[in-house]
Amino acid sequence: MANGSDGTGQAGHNRPALSFHVPEPKFRPGDAVDFSDLKITQAGAQARPDETCPAIDTAPLANDLIRVLGEDNRAHGPWDPKLDPDTLRRMLSVMALTRAFDERMYRGQRQGKTSFYMKCTGEEATSVAAAMALAADDMVFPSYRQQGILLARGYPLIEMINQIYSNRGDKLKGRQLPIMYSSRAHSFFTISGNLATQTPQAVGWAMASAMRGDSRIAATWVGEGSTAEGDFHAACLFATVYNAPVILNVVNNQWAISSFSGFAGGERATFAARGVGYGIASLRVDGNDALACYAAEQWAANRARANAGPTLIEHFSYRAEGHSTSDDPSQYRSAQERSEWPLGDPVMRLKNHLIAMGEWDEERQEKLDLDSAEQVKAATKEAEKNGILGHGLHHPFHTMFEDVFEELPWHLEEQAAQAIREREIKWPAA
Ligand SMILES: Cc1ncc(C[n+]2csc(CCOP(=O)(O)OP(=O)(O)O)c2C)c(N)n1
């Protein structure tokens, strides 16, 4: 054969050379940013199918963008969750508190009070509004950027700060990286630094809940970059095979540290569209529109409770700040991206909506921001009494050997003894 496909000919002579594709973000530091090619749909223009519809009926929504809040700051269309003003004000106040918390903890890291912090600036709606659409005892399996869920569920600020400072008040005894919270009482599964592991765990938990005939559902959050992990795909498969009552929230904030979404497949298809291939109902929402986030989560929760199956929700958003306190985004992306982001700021959009309804004003917003900052400050002062990084007020080192084994294996006993000798620390009185 002349073309060499039988393995005998010389490859490539009369055929075009193949080219290898390496995704490249559109804008690098110093570039002018133009997002005009992003398809921003009209608020209210997306159909809202019945929650129990066949998964395939949601396929158009996986390639659309569900939006409720319009340019006029009013709520539009069938996805308007029609929340009363008190609920909207509560949503706004938790989002404002989340932002105030992030600001103070970020500064705390810069002042050396903790080694690490991660903000969720610009993504507050994807956790706060979504959490408010769930029942308080639905089990959540978040990633590290959903502090808004804990705040929405009323977890005490001081507990969060104790954990961030790894001090003697830290319920996790300094064993977790700062911000990797855990609270059984708030149905908040321990955050893992190993990306995407929470997704099969959420699906497994949901399957168990269904097997027991319980009524609680599960929801997980994962970054778009982390959907490249095999765990995420295993989660999707198990979710669809067993019709698990679970919501898979993919927060597409465009960046995974310095890798843009193209490296996770974002150039080829939306992240919501992946669910369609698995036979999972899939919605793509404006992640900076708190009402759209709430409505999509509520739709998915109703679907799960009706035993109609899992839902994948892509929250289309933007990571307004660095990945973490260890990151410097000015090295890899244009600073203009944040200001040019066409979907705006979720806190401002919700505030403007309440103002347009005649249920809020700038003075009240100013007071809310001040009160939120004061609340965080007071909790910070309290937590500091339990110690900050480097001040020695952490849990005693020997406690690292506790709580795992009923009887300490010999090799850990040896290590514990060595640690005590080297650190000159004492076992507590028996
Ligand atoms: C299995 C694994 N691989 C790599 C990392 C290092 N890492 C931590 S965060 C991160 C980026 C994740 O990006 P994305 O999923 O988009 O979430 P985002 O941080 O944008 O919220 C990476 C690569 C890790 N923690 N675990």
Side-chain angles (χ1 to χ4, degrees):
M1 285 171 82
N3 67 3
S5 61
D6 61 355
T8 57
Q10 274 202 316
H13 275 318
N14 290 316
R15 285 171 281 152
L18 299 172
S19 68
F20 183 61
H21 177 69
V22 179
E24 180 58 30
K26 290 211 179 80
F27 316 109
R28 286 295 193 187
D31 287 348
V33 169
D34 176 8
F35 281 129
S36 56
D37 61 333
L38 283 185
K39 218 177 120 218
I40 306 299
T41 53
Q42 197 191 330
Q46 300 75 39
R48 186 183 185 282
D50 188 84
E51 286 107 339
T52 57
C53 71
I56 193 66
D57 290 3
T58 63
L61 291 167
N63 291 295
D64 205 321
L65 195 63
I66 297 168
R67 304 183 75 218
V68 174
L69 288 174
E71 299 303 315
D72 58 357
N73 297 317
R74 299 273 178 188
H76 298 272
W79 286 93
D80 175 6
K82 298 199 175 358
L83 299 174
D84 62 67
D86 281 342
T87 306
L88 290 173
R89 278 189 287 263
R90 180 161 179 269
M91 192 182 279
L92 181 66
S93 73
V94 178
M95 286 168 64
L97 183 62
T98 307
R99 193 162 284 189
F101 187 74
D102 276 359
E103 281 308 317
R104 191 153 194 112
M105 293 302 107
Y106 178 87
R107 269 191 285 139
Q109 192 277 339
R110 290 299 190 247
Q111 292 162 349
K113 294 175 182 171
T114 177
S115 56
F116 186 74
Y117 191 70
M118 296 176 101
K119 288 174 146 188
C120 66
T121 314
E123 300 170 47
E124 292 88 349
T126 66
S127 57
V128 174
M132 285 178 66
L134 298 173
D137 60 354
D138 285 335
M139 190 71 194
V140 297
F141 294 75
S143 115
Y144 42 70
R145 225 181 280 284
Q146 280 80 46
Q147 49 270 52
I149 300 176
L150 279 176
L151 296 175
R153 289 191 166 181
Y155 189 63
L157 290 176
I158 185 164
E159 301 291 1
M160 294 172 79
I161 306 170
N162 283 338
Q163 198 281 332
I164 290 167
Y165 288 170
S166 309
N167 62 22
R168 66 184 169 193
D170 172 13
K171 293 228 163 81
L172 306 182
K173 304 186 179 178
R175 295 169 187 182
Q176 279 271 57
L177 187 75
I179 68 137
M180 305 235 159
Y181 316 104
S182 174
S183 176
R184 193 187 185 106
H186 294 78
S187 299
F188 187 97
F189 196 78
T190 311
I191 297 173
S192 168
N194 303 324
L195 299 176
T197 50
Q198 72 275 20
T199 57
Q201 289 164 350
V203 174
W205 192 97
M207 286 163 58
S209 189
M211 286 163 79
R212 282 197 308 265
D214 202 333
S215 61
R216 289 172 298 161
I217 63 169
T220 183
W221 279 255
V222 67
E224 90 290 340
S226 305
T227 64
E229 283 285 342
D231 272 351
F232 175 74
H233 297 274
C236 289
L237 191 68
F238 273 73
T240 192
V241 167
Y242 296 102
N243 213 39
V246 67
I247 306 171
L248 302 154
N249 292 286
V250 175
V251 183
N252 178 2
N253 66 7
Q254 315 301 321
W255 291 91
I257 314 185
S258 55
S259 290
F260 84 115
S261 60
F263 279 103
E267 289 178 323
R268 306 295 180 219
T270 68
F271 289 92
R274 294 187 180 179
V276 177
Y278 282 104
I280 296 176
S282 302
L283 311 173
R284 187 164 175 267
V285 301
D286 175 348
N288 291 14
D289 175 341
L291 296 191
C293 293
Y294 183 100
E297 202 76 15
Q298 186 183 46
W299 187 94
N302 290 344
R303 182 177 180 81
R305 288 189 216 290
N307 286 311
T311 303
L312 189 157
I313 303 173
E314 174 185 349
H315 300 260
F316 194 70
S317 186
Y318 186 75
R319 197 195 74 208
E321 305 224 354
H323 171 74
S324 71
T325 47
S326 310
D327 181 40
D328 175 6
S330 72
Q331 298 297 307
Y332 55 80
R333 69 181 189 183
S334 171
Q336 268 189 21
E337 282 195 6
R338 179 179 182 169
S339 52
E340 292 300 312
W341 184 246
L343 297 174
D345 175 335
V347 181
M348 290 304 118
R349 284 176 69 188
L350 184 56
K351 175 195 92 170
N352 291 337
H353 174 54
L354 271 159
I355 292 175
M357 288 170 77
E359 294 288 348
W360 197 242
D361 53 52
E362 294 291 352
E363 291 77 60
R364 275 193 275 185
Q365 181 68 33
E366 214 170 291
K367 184 169 178 327
L368 173 66
D369 289 336
L370 273 174
D371 288 351
S372 307
E374 278 306 314
Q375 200 183 331
V376 179
K377 187 176 170 185
T380 307
K381 296 269 166 262
E382 254 334 276
E384 284 177 8
K385 291 182 189 160
N386 293 324
I388 57 172
L389 179 74
H391 283 208
L393 287 175
H394 44 69
H395 280 268
F397 287 124
H398 65 77
T399 61
M400 78 171 89
F401 296 98
E402 298 169 4
D403 303 331
V404 178
F405 296 96
E406 200 174 331
E407 274 180 41
L408 211 57
W410 64 267
H411 66 289
L412 290 183
E413 243 176 62
E414 274 186 17
Q415 287 177 28
Q418 190 183 358
I420 291 164
R421 275 198 307 278
E422 287 177 7
R423 296 271 179 189
E424 293 181 0
I425 54 178
K426 302 249 181 303
W427 290 103

